[in-house]
Amino acid sequence: MEVTQQDLPPTLQMIPSQKRFVYKEDATLNIKFQIYDPNGEADIASFSFISTDPKVPATALVKNTASQYEFIWRPGYDFVRDPLDSVAFEMTFFVLDKSNKRDERTVSITIINAVNEGEKDQKLYNEYRAAWCVPGT
């Protein structure tokens, strides 16, 4: 018998491994990924994601090593447009090896509308100063 070289698919581990994420605007979403390929790291062709919301930037996916990635994203206060109270969408993270074998993880993300307290406080402060600070007195 001869030993044959099998081309096995890569596997993707996601930390945390939950399928649903709920965050308020301006909170940081951080998901870590570990890619395992039984044929070695050199067999990993690409790792990326597809989002059903086009406002999620591709730059949020950071490559730490050939087999470790992080998705770090902070949706700003303008991500959920009024009058909506939240926006829900799905993201599929996937890894491909050189023979196009793949593994993927799909997550559901909900971003809840939040009030920018700093901006609100600054506006009230400016209105207060404008009312009490009369020029020339």
Side-chain angles (χ1 to χ4, degrees):
M1 275 203 252
E2 278 187 39
V3 178
T4 59
Q5 178 74 23
Q6 287 187 334
D7 185 21
L8 300 171
T11 58
L12 181 60
Q13 182 181 15
M14 187 174 80
I15 303 165
S17 61
Q18 61 200 56
K19 293 186 180 228
R20 183 163 170 71
F21 295 89
V22 179
Y23 283 86
K24 288 186 177 181
E25 287 178 315
D26 208 44
T28 302
L29 174 60
N30 188 322
I31 307 172
K32 295 177 183 354
F33 297 93
Q34 179 70 46
I35 301 168
Y36 300 100
D37 193 317
N39 303 105
E41 282 186 357
D43 194 43
I44 299 170
S46 67
F47 178 69
S48 191
F49 70 89
I50 298 172
S51 174
T52 58
D53 191 314
K55 294 181 285 187
V56 179
T59 56
L61 190 61
V62 178
K63 181 179 183 177
N64 295 330
T65 68
S67 61
Q68 292 180 346
Y69 288 79
E70 281 185 272
F71 178 77
I72 306 168
W73 178 54
R74 187 176 189 166
Y77 284 111
D78 59 344
F79 187 79
V80 180
R81 302 279 184 196
D82 288 333
L84 300 176
D85 58 355
S86 67
V87 172
F89 56 95
E90 287 191 344
M91 295 183 66
T92 301
F93 296 92
F94 61 92
V95 58
L96 291 171
D97 70 5
K98 290 183 178 176
S99 61
N100 287 329
K101 292 186 179 175
R102 69 186 288 149
D103 190 17
E104 63 184 40
R105 298 286 180 274
T106 299
V107 296
S108 173
I109 298 175
T110 302
I111 305 297
I112 299 170
N113 198 355
V115 176
N116 185 344
E117 295 294 337
E119 184 179 284
K120 185 178 174 183
D121 290 347
Q122 186 65 45
K123 182 179 177 187
L124 287 173
Y125 174 76
N126 290 343
E127 288 174 1
Y128 172 80
R129 286 203 32 113
W132 289 99
C133 296
V134 179
T137 59

